[in-house]
Amino acid sequence: MGFWNNLALGIEVAFTTQNLLYCFLGVTLGNLMGVVPGVGAVAAVSILLPVTYHIPPSAGLIMLAGLYYGAVYGAVTGAILLNIPHTVSAVECLDGYPMAKSGRAGVALFMTTIASLCGSVVGIVIIALFAPPVAAVALTFESPDYFALVVLGMTGAVALARGSPIRSFIMILTGMLIGLVGMDVTSAQPRFTFGISQFMDGISIGVIAMGLFGVAELIANAGQLHTGTVTAGDITWRSLLPTRDDLRRSWPAIIRGTGLGCFFGILPGAGAVLASIIAYTVEKQVAADPGRFGNGAIEGVVAPEAAANAACQTSFVPMLTLGIPTDPITAVMLAALLIKGISPGPEFISAHPDIFWGLVVSFVVGNVLLVIWHIPFIRLWVKLLTVPFDILFPSVLVLICLGVYTIHNSTMDILLVLAFGLIGYGMRLLQFEPAPLLIGLVLGPLLETYLRRSLIVSHGNVLGLLERPFAGGVLCLSAIILAWTFRKTAKSSRPNPNSKAAV
Amino acid sequence: MNDASKSGPSARQDVIGGVLSVALGVFALAIALSYPMGSLLRMGPGLFPCIIAVLIVVLGLALIGVSFRSRPKVASVNIRLRSVLTIGLGIVLFALLLERAGLIPATLTLVLVSSLAEPRWRPQRAVVLAIAMTALVYVIFIIVLQIPVAALGL
């Protein structure tokens, strides 16, 4: 009964003209930025972050979320047609591009759209069913429990991030350090402000994300990306239709991918990228003839796509119910909500049912919009792939600079975005992943606050943190995961766990 | 495309990354030590930054420590100096011009300067793009969003 009332409320919110408009705007721009090479989902979300300052929180959240899953939808197009590895769609290149080369691009695009829809819908059902009970359980949590959960989030980000765990750990800690810049709320002590008055309020996450992901990406790709000719030739209506054999192979793969995606989306630090890589690996293992993979096996395209979209949806569960983001994109969204004075946590769903259920219903609306956008307009998106990058990057740069400026109307922020762009580019050259930094940036202040409160509760006894069964259990789990991660890398000669999956 | 990320980090990348991490940690620690530490019961503003700074130093040392195991000793890293300089200069000029000269000159400058990052720069194309982008941001930011910046200031 309650569920249906909530659903009705969600429909009411999501179907207001304003929210429909922002949902449409979000998924369209997301799809656009996903299709276009050289601009990732994180950059897309952070470029539009300043817009959310001027619109109501539910509209802002709906738009940012739409950007996220829209970009995931769009990214696969470039992977299939031009072999462009986007962050979220790197594995789809492996079999999608060979499919395109053998003239089956239409089938690949059609089936990935179906796979995306399937993954998303199941992910949405999971949010609707599980977020409220998780929040209800979380209501009984106290500071030590939250402290433990944030530690688990960090550990997950270290264990599941791409590349070596030492590097991702350094990135998380660096993010936490940057998160400390500004005035300490408890003692009013300015920290790491270097006497610069703008630093007193801290450095806006929008500036950092746009620098590390936007500007750095543009510097790395400018003069580099040259759009090739689309291999597929013309994509006709008829070429979209899958054969019976395609369908027979795809269904189980989509279901497996969806399941894996839902699970990995909820895990801290995993997100859509890891989910799609794992889905690909699993498909290769369960296949009767693994030799087909890499030569255009449809399972290798649809399973990762379903997984990425499912993960993209379920990653909202920990963010909305616990206030703990699991990937850089939900971290940016969390920041957007905090700026609006809304702190996601166990009370979020009961205090703002309109925002939560409106968002859930908007996911459905957005996904349907994406399918409508994607299939009939497929030729339009293919055209977009041929927009030269030398036109694209100065345009994106202008939007970044002005977007950053509108956060505080300060030119200082424009220089800061350049500084973070250069830092991000340096990190790229040294092969440090920027994603954990963003997670650390958001988790750092939470970690300090919960640690401080927990220590007051336990009268300054650090071991007191372990006394609550939940907190103790989660902390032990984190310690085991961390030990296992470092042991695994210590054993393997190559400290890159994902390089195997990517080969 | 991303030529560097295909193989794992090289030994040199590990050492440079480790040294920079240690430097960052030491720098942060030096500053954080000047803040009140407080006690475990009442954590001062210095305690948490110190813990983080020390952890960064430790992990930076660990990264230097594991570097001998890295497969390629030296990876060929291609620094895109041209992009760094043109995009960097473009943004700096934009920041300087925006409030002094207005949105239109700032946007024109940013597009023209940053488009030089493309090695095969085509002037006509850049000028057309600059004018089109300026018109677009004029509509979005001045007419629609009404940001407090003059379109053409003095």
Side-chain angles (χ1 to χ4, degrees):
Chain A
M1 311 144 282
F3 178 77
W4 297 111
N5 284 341
N6 288 329
L7 202 63
L9 175 69
I11 291 171
E12 201 178 304
V13 174
F15 280 89
T16 59
T17 326
Q18 188 193 30
N19 288 344
L20 275 180
L21 192 73
Y22 281 110
C23 181
F24 176 76
L25 197 70
V27 294
T28 310
L29 287 175
N31 200 356
L32 191 86
M33 301 220 203
V35 170
V36 160
V39 189
V42 188
V45 171
S46 28
I47 289 169
L48 284 216
L49 178 65
V51 176
T52 61
Y53 301 163
H54 307 284
I55 59 180
S58 61
L61 197 60
I62 284 172
M63 185 185 69
L64 291 185
L67 272 168
Y68 180 20
Y69 55 81
V72 174
Y73 255 83
V76 73
T77 315
I80 292 174
L81 293 176
L82 287 180
N83 204 18
I84 296 172
H86 235 295
T87 42
V88 278
S89 64
V91 286
E92 277 96 328
C93 290
L94 299 176
D95 278 286
Y97 188 61
M99 276 184 83
K101 274 206 297 201
S102 56
R104 293 175 24 89
V107 177
L109 289 170
F110 181 78
M111 287 311 291
T112 48
T113 309
I114 302 298
S116 306
L117 184 68
C118 177
S120 303
V121 168
V122 175
I124 296 164
V125 171
I126 297 225
I127 300 179
L129 291 182
F130 288 98
V134 170
V137 173
L139 273 175
T140 63
F141 287 176
E142 288 173 18
S143 298
D145 303 318
Y146 276 109
F147 173 76
L149 280 171
V150 176
V151 171
L152 181 67
M154 284 172 51
T155 321
V158 170
L160 300 173
R162 291 194 289 180
S164 89
I166 299 180
R167 283 163 172 266
S168 24
F169 208 162
I170 292 178
M171 281 297 104
I172 291 188
L173 292 167
T174 309
M176 291 187 158
L177 208 55
I178 299 171
L180 288 173
V181 172
M183 195 159 76
D184 174 33
V185 274
T186 336
S187 60
Q189 161 88 42
R191 292 188 290 190
F192 303 108
T193 54
F194 307 103
I196 301 168
S197 58
Q198 276 102 329
F199 282 1
M200 287 297 272
D201 297 328
I203 305 173
S204 144
I205 186 169
V207 172
I208 296 167
M210 272 193 256
L212 293 182
F213 287 89
V215 177
E217 225 161 304
L218 294 178
I219 292 177
N221 292 333
Q224 284 305 302
L225 280 181
H226 294 289
T227 36
T229 39
V230 175
T231 33
D234 203 24
I235 294 175
T236 58
W237 286 109
R238 188 167 275 277
S239 77
L240 292 178
L241 289 178
T243 62
R244 189 165 292 178
D245 185 50
D246 289 332
L247 289 176
R248 189 181 54 81
R249 289 179 187 280
S250 297
W251 280 118
I254 291 176
I255 292 167
R256 279 189 294 264
T258 304
L260 287 168
C262 288
F263 176 69
F264 280 97
I266 297 176
L267 287 194
V273 184
L274 187 81
S276 64
I277 293 173
I278 289 175
Y280 186 81
T281 324
V282 166
E283 283 313 311
K284 216 169 161 178
Q285 266 154 13
V286 299
D289 41 355
R292 283 172 42 253
F293 282 80
N295 300 314
I298 193 155
E299 302 97 302
V301 188
V302 291
E305 186 60 15
N309 281 279
C312 168
Q313 300 293 349
T314 54
S315 65
F316 282 88
V317 173
M319 193 272 267
L320 292 174
T321 58
L322 302 170
I324 298 173
T326 56
D327 60 21
I329 297 177
T330 44
V332 173
M333 280 186 233
L334 183 74
L337 281 174
L338 289 175
I339 287 164
K340 285 283 176 187
I342 296 169
S343 48
E347 292 97 2
F348 173 74
I349 298 177
S350 43
H352 303 280
D354 51 327
I355 301 184
F356 175 77
W357 291 100
L359 182 69
V360 170
V361 175
S362 90
F363 285 156
V364 182
V365 177
N367 276 290
V368 172
L369 277 177
L370 278 169
V371 173
I372 298 174
W373 255 128
H374 228 82
I375 294 181
F377 292 93
I378 201 107
R379 290 183 199 183
L380 182 78
W381 301 116
V382 174
K383 270 244 155 55
L384 261 175
L385 275 172
T386 52
V387 171
F389 198 66
D390 65 326
I391 285 190
L392 205 68
F393 81 84
S395 317
V396 176
L397 208 53
V398 169
L399 293 181
I400 289 178
C401 288
L402 273 170
V404 164
Y405 178 76
T406 54
I407 301 177
H408 293 127
N409 291 327
S410 134
T411 47
M412 169 88 181
D413 282 343
I414 304 179
L415 295 174
L416 269 177
V417 91
L418 173 61
F420 278 102
L422 294 175
I423 293 171
Y425 183 58
M427 278 162 43
R428 253 172 136 66
L429 292 179
L430 293 170
Q431 295 202 32
F432 281 91
E433 286 280 331
L437 191 152
L438 224 48
I439 296 176
L441 185 69
V442 177
L443 291 186
L446 294 177
L447 193 67
E448 183 179 23
T449 311
Y450 292 133
L451 179 61
R452 192 178 264 155
R453 285 192 202 148
S454 307
L455 285 174
I456 293 173
V457 175
S458 71
H459 304 288
N461 178 7
V462 179
L463 290 176
L465 290 175
L466 298 168
E467 274 166 16
R468 280 183 65 86
F470 182 81
V474 172
L475 283 175
C476 288
L477 180 67
S478 309
I480 293 169
I481 294 175
L482 208 59
W484 176 74
T485 310
F486 279 101
R487 222 178 95 96
K488 201 180 65 178
T489 29
K491 268 187 177 172
S492 71
S493 56
R494 277 176 63 98
N496 191 343
N498 287 336
S499 61
K500 275 170 266 155
V503 167
Chain B
M1 228 115 291
N2 29 14
D3 36 342
S5 60
K6 283 279 177 274
S7 61
S10 70
R12 184 180 284 177
Q13 283 171 322
D14 277 342
V15 172
I16 298 175
V19 169
L20 286 175
S21 306
V22 172
L24 175 73
V26 169
F27 174 69
L29 190 62
I31 297 173
L33 281 174
S34 69
Y35 304 143
M37 285 298 138
S39 63
L40 278 179
L41 180 56
R42 283 184 205 292
M43 275 169 61
L47 188 60
F48 190 68
C50 281
I51 298 172
I52 293 186
V54 169
L55 278 175
I56 293 181
V57 173
V58 171
L59 285 159
L61 292 174
L63 194 56
I64 300 172
V66 299
S67 67
F68 70 92
R69 274 196 346 204
S70 303
R71 207 37 75 72
K73 288 297 159 212
V74 180
S76 62
V77 172
N78 209 344
I79 301 178
R80 315 238 171 264
L81 202 58
R82 189 186 173 106
S83 308
V84 171
L85 290 178
T86 50
I87 291 179
L89 183 68
I91 297 179
V92 170
L93 287 175
F94 181 84
L96 292 177
L97 288 171
L98 185 64
E99 285 179 347
R100 293 187 178 84
L103 178 82
I104 292 174
T107 309
L108 287 173
T109 315
L110 175 58
V111 175
L112 287 176
V113 174
S114 66
S115 70
L116 284 165
E118 169 67 47
R120 287 170 300 166
W121 187 64
R122 280 171 282 184
Q124 281 162 316
R125 212 177 153 97
V127 170
V128 172
L129 178 65
I131 294 171
M133 250 346 258
T134 308
L136 181 72
V137 296
Y138 179 77
V139 172
I140 299 177
F141 290 92
I142 301 279
I143 297 180
V144 180
L145 293 178
Q146 303 188 333
I147 58 167
V149 164
L152 202 58
L154 284 174

